[in-house]
Amino acid sequence: MNLDVLVRQTMDVDGCRRNLDTGIDQPEAEFRRTTGQSSADRRRADDPILVDIDASGFGVKRGQRDLSQISHVLVLLNLANYLVAAVMDDDALTLRHLRLPGSIVLDVPGRLGNVSNEVEIGRGKRGRRAYSFDDVAVVPSRRTRDPQDVSTGWQIDAYHFDIPIMAAPMDSVMSPATAVQFGKLGGLGVLDLEGLWTRYEDPTTQLQEIAALPEEQATRRMQELYDAPILPELITQRLQEIRSAGVTVAGALTPARTQQFYQTVVDAGVDLFVIRGTTVSAEHVSANAEPLNLKRFIYELDVPVIVGGAATYTAALHLMRTGAAGVLVGFGGGAAHTTRVSLGIHAPMASAVADVAAARRDYLDESGGRYVHVIADGGVGRSGDMVKAIACGADAVMIGAGLARASEAPGQGWHWGPEAHHIQLPRGERVHVGTSGTLSEILFGPSSLADGTLNIVGALRRAMATTGYSDVKEFQRVEVVVSPYQPH
Amino acid sequence: MNLDVLVRQTMDVDGCRRNLDTGIDQPEAEFRRTTGQSSADRRRADDPILVDIDASGFGVKRGQRDLSQISHVLVLLNLANYLVAAVMDDDALTLRHLRLPGSIVLDVPGRLGNVSNEVEIGRGKRGRRAYSFDDVAVVPSRRTRDPQDVSTGWQIDAYHFDIPIMAAPMDSVMSPATAVQFGKLGGLGVLDLEGLWTRYEDPTTQLQEIAALPEEQATRRMQELYDAPILPELITQRLQEIRSAGVTVAGALTPARTQQFYQTVVDAGVDLFVIRGTTVSAEHVSANAEPLNLKRFIYELDVPVIVGGAATYTAALHLMRTGAAGVLVGFGGGAAHTTRVSLGIHAPMASAVADVAAARRDYLDESGGRYVHVIADGGVGRSGDMVKAIACGADAVMIGAGLARASEAPGQGWHWGPEAHHIQLPRGERVHVGTSGTLSEILFGPSSLADGTLNIVGALRRAMATTGYSDVKEFQRVEVVVSPYQPH
Amino acid sequence: MNLDVLVRQTMDVDGCRRNLDTGIDQPEAEFRRTTGQSSADRRRADDPILVDIDASGFGVKRGQRDLSQISHVLVLLNLANYLVAAVMDDDALTLRHLRLPGSIVLDVPGRLGNVSNEVEIGRGKRGRRAYSFDDVAVVPSRRTRDPQDVSTGWQIDAYHFDIPIMAAPMDSVMSPATAVQFGKLGGLGVLDLEGLWTRYEDPTTQLQEIAALPEEQATRRMQELYDAPILPELITQRLQEIRSAGVTVAGALTPARTQQFYQTVVDAGVDLFVIRGTTVSAEHVSANAEPLNLKRFIYELDVPVIVGGAATYTAALHLMRTGAAGVLVGFGGGAAHTTRVSLGIHAPMASAVADVAAARRDYLDESGGRYVHVIADGGVGRSGDMVKAIACGADAVMIGAGLARASEAPGQGWHWGPEAHHIQLPRGERVHVGTSGTLSEILFGPSSLADGTLNIVGALRRAMATTGYSDVKEFQRVEVVVSPYQPH
Amino acid sequence: MNLDVLVRQTMDVDGCRRNLDTGIDQPEAEFRRTTGQSSADRRRADDPILVDIDASGFGVKRGQRDLSQISHVLVLLNLANYLVAAVMDDDALTLRHLRLPGSIVLDVPGRLGNVSNEVEIGRGKRGRRAYSFDDVAVVPSRRTRDPQDVSTGWQIDAYHFDIPIMAAPMDSVMSPATAVQFGKLGGLGVLDLEGLWTRYEDPTTQLQEIAALPEEQATRRMQELYDAPILPELITQRLQEIRSAGVTVAGALTPARTQQFYQTVVDAGVDLFVIRGTTVSAEHVSANAEPLNLKRFIYELDVPVIVGGAATYTAALHLMRTGAAGVLVGFGGGAAHTTRVSLGIHAPMASAVADVAAARRDYLDESGGRYVHVIADGGVGRSGDMVKAIACGADAVMIGAGLARASEAPGQGWHWGPEAHHIQLPRGERVHVGTSGTLSEILFGPSSLADGTLNIVGALRRAMATTGYSDVKEFQRVEVVVSPYQPH
């Protein structure tokens, strides 16, 4: 059980804040669940309970550092003359009690225990129940609003975007040209700086070849095509193409190649630097090479960094502590991954986003106000998925397959990621996603399809309006139900 | 956790109703779970527990207004000399205790906590587990009854119907002619006053064209056909056609067009006025136009209003407070919607109906006796779904696809709703439902099909008889199991 | 929550059995969970806890009659000087306390609450989570055994059978000839006395016609064929055919026709009388005709009666109280039913059998030793289902489709029940089940198919051996897991 | 509820370890959850809580032997002057209390009760929720690592293997030649000593015939082919073929034939002796023959024994007590089994492995340090399944179908187990698995397929690296989520 459930005992100022051991004057104590800093957050029903009994010598986890480690707190105040608090954390169950003039017995198992989503797989193993976007849905509640009153704007660091969408740095989605076009439409296009565009002077032939490959040869031939070396001068050239168009410039490297190429990237001039891998941790261990020290790297770099994938609260929290401006959430959730079957690894996206959103909130508190953006990266195939990603706590989404369906997309109806051409262990496949419309129609319509592939910003706008929310940040609070989708 | 669990402490009249702080004479206290006004309701095992400790100065939520906000109540009565009550609502955990001559420790976590259907999606987000009709089934219990002894009658306002069914205001289901025929068969036909019948003098051609459209052109052509203006004189004419046949007259507008056309509708004469949208809230916010003030509108109107869709307890409760005679429950649950995939919105119907039924019960109490009808609108495709809708608490159902299967239906085997031809963002499709039999056979048989599409009233009658219930209101109490349906 | 959880406080004989109000001498009290009469039952971990505090004037549910009504018992014994017991039943939460020399606080929420399978469908409705046979599986545990050491014998009333299987009274399964053959193979064949064999002198033609009917005409033509009158002389003749072969004779009527024909049946001579309908209750209500008074009927009859379907604890308990020798468990679970889609009714069989097995245990106690047999009727399509039915508590199973697969079966590869030809509301269809082998091969092999349709008794024998059980009654205790089946 | 939850009350040495009845000096007690011997194990959040209150005369389960029997422990320490402990085990609920100078009320329902995975199937039956590999997935957490820094080594008894994989003793997987080749590649090949290789001098013809059999004749013909007698001289010859190649030699017998052939096997010389059946128990009961006394057999044998299948904690614990070096976990989970449908038996593998891993841990404690290896045998079809098996606690996996896909495999694209040719009751079928690549490519790549059938060791290595673990034993601690897999 990994519930970081905390209770902060707040008493009124006169008399009660003194040492509980010496007595309290006011018999009526008030427990308030608080978390984070904003009053908006305070009102959230799903906030954890923070324990902070100010009793020198007897305080429960007094001066506790890593509150996320506490899994279960029981506070028992006996009316006779003792205050008893039992704290169960990962390593020990500690029992403490205090002498009191009066006492109170308080047990909150309903809150602490019943919503736990941990299940026992078998006697020797427990696991959390995790949910994908298909498992959840947004429900309308009290209020409705006009779609035109809704703002879909997104601001990260100094950069403002009209739509909360990053285009995924994948060769099937982003070329320098589509990056420019996507930027002009209000989003943030990210170019893969390890893809065909930095390996070939003009990769048009290669893209056409990939689109034409027969099924059984695709993986093998892509392994060969991506074996060509990355040319630093092409990195420079591609980024300058984008910059000259006047849109925000963003390029992506994997952690493994960041040290080798980042200087080229920075020199070429990027506004946002993306470090993207299937799993990126703040603490990479290697016996052979000096691993990338993310914290130091980000600190020394002048450019804001968006980094990921991270799929859990802890992983994301550590990434946030490196100084990143944004964290990409995901692992193998996208259309072009088969990691669940090959690696056994899967991070259901609704749970992953909600976890990382909690890390953002806790890090906001811990850092005294640094707001790190949470970007859902994977599983955002249809407009409904984008809606759900934000409903689960994302500030923005990174879309691959959904934009690969544009008529301008370099993939020409096909979509693939770097996993699809790994030399030793391909963990994805080139998939056919087809073509739905122009990039502009995919984003803003008009639509004549009801399958969530066209007018995706209009869909987000309508979902927000129907549930009464007026901006993306606010919409993270919308009510969600769990109800696995069973199409007929 | 949104459990509005309440406990009302009832003591016998002589002595015990005095201030608990000054002592109670009778050591044997009795806690009774009560709710609503009727004794029938009182006996329901699933009723919430209402807390109402009459102790001046110390009362738990004394004079509480919005009981629905209380999520968790713990009542602790210590034998020594204090009564302690902990109230956990959405914002705070309040702890109160009273001095007593004797005390009792009472903890009811099993009741309060274990049946909670809230799950943690991730650390930062919780959601309720919600159920569709396919997830539940009725089970027979102690008693059986003759089907002919069962009444399927339904009374709303001054209007009585032999069957608890409204025909959906959709062009594929209701024409003036089928509205009349449906009324004569005992139900309530509702004409869509924004459909083809009020846009075209004779929409026969358009209906035939829609039925004949190839798949890939359907949405686009329907967008065009529905772009014709609504003619007020046709509204008048259609309603008078229905009225002249002597059946109850009902017409439907969307909230957006209600202010523009309602006067026409009222002047033409309707018995029941239906305001129907995907989501209708009592509190619509708009920066551009003065939104419809439902409360004032209904108050000033002389005609009873049925309004919806509403999908949650809160949304429905607010609609009930506007003075509506009935609330339509649903959002995107029907056969002609794809809102889950495009908007990410879904309101599983079994849960939505049960939620709104609770709102009806609480509003009945709050209003001192106004009974607002709950009409399930969506997901009622087969007779079994109608049975389940009532079992979950509906007073009646609104049927679309099921009646579009009639040989008389204007859709001619096809079915579509207004979502299917939205200009910017179509969120449904024209679907082929086929033809099962005449309207009369669909309602009353005889049937030679076992798929729940014929003799649907006979099926309801038999389900009620098999479980021993004799009227629709009573049948809302039937036992239900949760068991997702897996056809082989 | 319908947990009938009871706790019986047992204290040692000297001193402690006296009135708790006057004090107890021995401070160490012992709570034992007991139930039923046999010591075997006592050891079951899943037995409920029975409360029976022997305290005159203060006893919790002292002399309680209908223990099944109690849903939640909390026993709180305070160390100071009060014994407090809170009893929550369906109608009220009663709180009682007793003065004691010493006291004990005992809360057993883990036991009482956590295994509750009740879920909240919505605020206004709760339902139990129910399981079908496909949802569960048997697991081997400590011990194994030789298959040849296993007994599959079943004894009901004076009749012994080598295999715990009744052949369903359906025209596709049982003719007089197959009833005889099935009896000689060790089972109990039951003839439908309202089927073709009592309507036609020689129904061979009709059976052949049904087997040859095209899909779309089947229901309608069967409605006609079953419209022929039932001839009492044929009832007599068919039963005598079976009797003359020397096997146990059993015939089935529906409740509606029992009064009309039972005398004919009894005069013709049956060993076991079966009353079988989709739902049979002990309390049928009718405004038109005097309903069958089952209790009086069974009391006056000289022949043991097996009656059902019953799908819940309460329904079965009431049937047991009529004096029935056995109860058929099921409703619409079989291969030939579509009641879930047409009536919304469904009784998942694993839960239904486990419920009725609990009614058998409680009735055994209540009646002072009458053991009523529980026969799973529905959903027993493959040998694995039979194994699970017994694992959930059945004494025997009634098989339809599984025996309709015999080459001798009158259905000739087709299977149907009375629901399939209901005149007004057919709720099942004629289904094609094919032919697996001879009746003998279906029961005892040898098998060359691994699909659970051949050697079903061998499969039961092996399942019992693999889990270490040696007779059917004992095998009801085998460990079961819940794990929905997902074939690849 | 089978939670073996235990709490050990540990107090500091001076004063508190004395009889609790006479008082304790130190009011601050510390409860530590401990289990096993290693400090690594101590830190695991999922460890049970061990109760061991050292109070002569009043101790809860003082000197308890079989702690696994205790299902629920409540420890209640009242502040007044009594310590109360309620112990609920399978047979009784025992309540004990002690006089104390001070007291503490401690209830840990969240820990004890809420993660229970037991559900109520119906009133008379409970069952655990069990999970298959498809239901779970590994999630990356804080740290990442280079794949080349990961060790996949496995050591059992004196034998070291580079990869934690046993090849299943099935004729479609292992011939003497492939056993040698598999050994040279770093794994442990096991030859079925009751298969075709010990029945025929040269089974090449038979293997070709099986691969060529039409669907409907396969089972029947295999029954005939496997009816040939087992020739002891061929056992000797096959094992010597393997030994002469210099790899570790392992052969498998079923329990039924172990007594007949083990001497031949031992004389021929095996390094590891495998006893493998669908269910192998330490306590087989037979009325006809003296069953194999596993404990005595293993004690007397000089060779380490790997034995199974076992599917539950208890069954595995008993097998461990026989002295086995390893336990095979599984029953009917493999690709070639249909036992769920025919026998109703199924042991979902994720739960089974986690259960047996807990037995390993408890037996390690009980035996004072004997580490019995847990080998997942069944359901390990793709590399992802192998990853999950280890994540659930396996030390190694036994692979059948995955290796039958090798171009060298004797099955030639087909796969079958002994269940497929059982004479009376075949419970599996010959299945077509196809051919993915060479044995070496299946294990180590390179791969050009993303379906988890090639480079399975590379996949394990990458999964471990991505989650930051460096050896197989450590990887058993990786975080796992429950999220049923729904491929699109």
Side-chain angles (χ1 to χ4, degrees), chain B residues 2-5 27-33 42-47 49 68 77-79 103-111 114-117 128-131 133-146 148-149 313-314 350-352 354-355 357-358 361 382-385 387-388 391-393 444-452 454-455 458-460 462-463 466-467 475-486 488, chain C residues 1-2 57-58 71-72 74 76-84 86 88-97 103 105 107 109 112-132 134-135 216 219-220 223 278-289 309-312 314-316 318 330-331 337-348 355 419-420 422-429 484-485:
Chain B
N2 269 319
L3 287 176
D4 54 322
V5 183
E28 182 168 347
E30 186 174 345
F31 281 75
R32 272 194 280 155
R33 285 171 295 135
R42 276 204 168 163
R43 316 186 61 118
R44 305 284 302 282
D46 47 356
D47 286 343
I49 302 166
S68 70
L77 297 145
N78 189 289
L79 274 173
S103 69
I104 300 153
V105 178
L106 170 64
D107 191 356
V108 283
R111 195 80 202 165
N114 285 309
V115 294
S116 165
N117 54 2
R128 284 205 323 162
R129 180 68 175 86
Y131 300 93
F133 289 140
D134 280 350
D135 290 330
V136 303
V138 164
V139 278
S141 191
R142 318 132 299 162
R143 198 178 294 163
T144 48
R145 195 177 285 278
D146 278 359
Q148 61 265 38
D149 295 354
Y313 174 91
T314 313
S351 292
D355 268 12
R361 186 189 58 197
R382 313 268 165 157
S383 49
D385 298 321
V387 168
K388 294 172 188 179
C392 288
F444 306 113
S447 161
S448 57
L449 288 172
D451 62 358
L454 290 178
N455 196 1
L460 171 61
R462 179 159 288 271
T466 300
T467 52
F475 187 63
Q476 293 170 352
R477 300 215 306 261
V478 73
E479 195 178 334
V480 164
V481 292
V482 171
S483 172
Y485 182 46
Q486 293 151 351
H488 289 276
Chain C
M1 190 157 34
N2 270 320
F58 294 91
S71 60
H72 200 154
L74 294 174
L76 309 160
L77 297 145
N78 188 288
L79 274 173
N81 47 10
Y82 279 96
L83 178 152
V84 182
M88 195 196 300
D89 59 16
D90 273 3
D91 284 306
L93 180 66
T94 321
L95 199 68
R96 299 172 185 278
H97 56 120
S103 69
V105 178
D107 191 356
L112 298 181
N114 284 309
V115 294
S116 166
N117 54 1
E118 188 170 67
V119 295
E120 186 180 292
I121 295 164
R123 292 198 187 193
K125 194 81 185 181
R126 286 187 178 140
R128 285 205 323 163
R129 178 70 175 85
Y131 300 92
S132 69
D134 280 350
D135 291 329
E216 67 283 2
T219 299
R220 206 175 291 268
Q223 289 174 329
T278 46
T279 301
V280 177
S281 79
E283 185 191 351
H284 184 76
V285 182
S286 174
N288 308 300
T312 59
T314 314
H318 283 110
F331 183 101
H337 294 244
T338 61
T339 46
R340 178 148 179 163
V341 98
S342 68
L343 297 196
I345 295 180
H346 184 58
D355 269 11
E419 293 77 23
H422 190 280
I423 287 293
Q424 288 293 322
L425 187 67
R427 296 181 305 285
E429 278 161 7
Y485 182 47

Side-chain angles (χ1 to χ4, degrees), chain D residues 64 90 138 218 227 230 251 257 328 338 340 397 469:
Chain D
Q64 63 272 61
D90 273 3
V138 164
D227 211 23
I230 297 167
R257 289 199 173 101
L328 299 170
T338 61
R340 180 150 178 161
V397 299
Y469 292 93

Side-chain angles (χ1 to χ4, degrees), chain C residues 294-355:
Chain C
L294 260 184
K295 191 164 187 167
R296 197 167 135 201
F297 174 77
I298 290 175
Y299 180 79
E300 291 173 357
L301 206 67
D302 215 28
V303 176
V305 174
I306 295 170
V307 63
T312 59
Y313 174 91
T314 314
L317 189 63
H318 283 110
L319 284 183
M320 288 170 180
R321 288 176 179 156
T322 64
V327 170
L328 299 170
V329 183
F331 183 101
H337 294 244
T338 61
T339 46
R340 178 148 179 163
V341 98
S342 68
L343 297 196
I345 295 180
H346 184 58
M349 283 299 290
S351 292
V353 169
D355 269 11

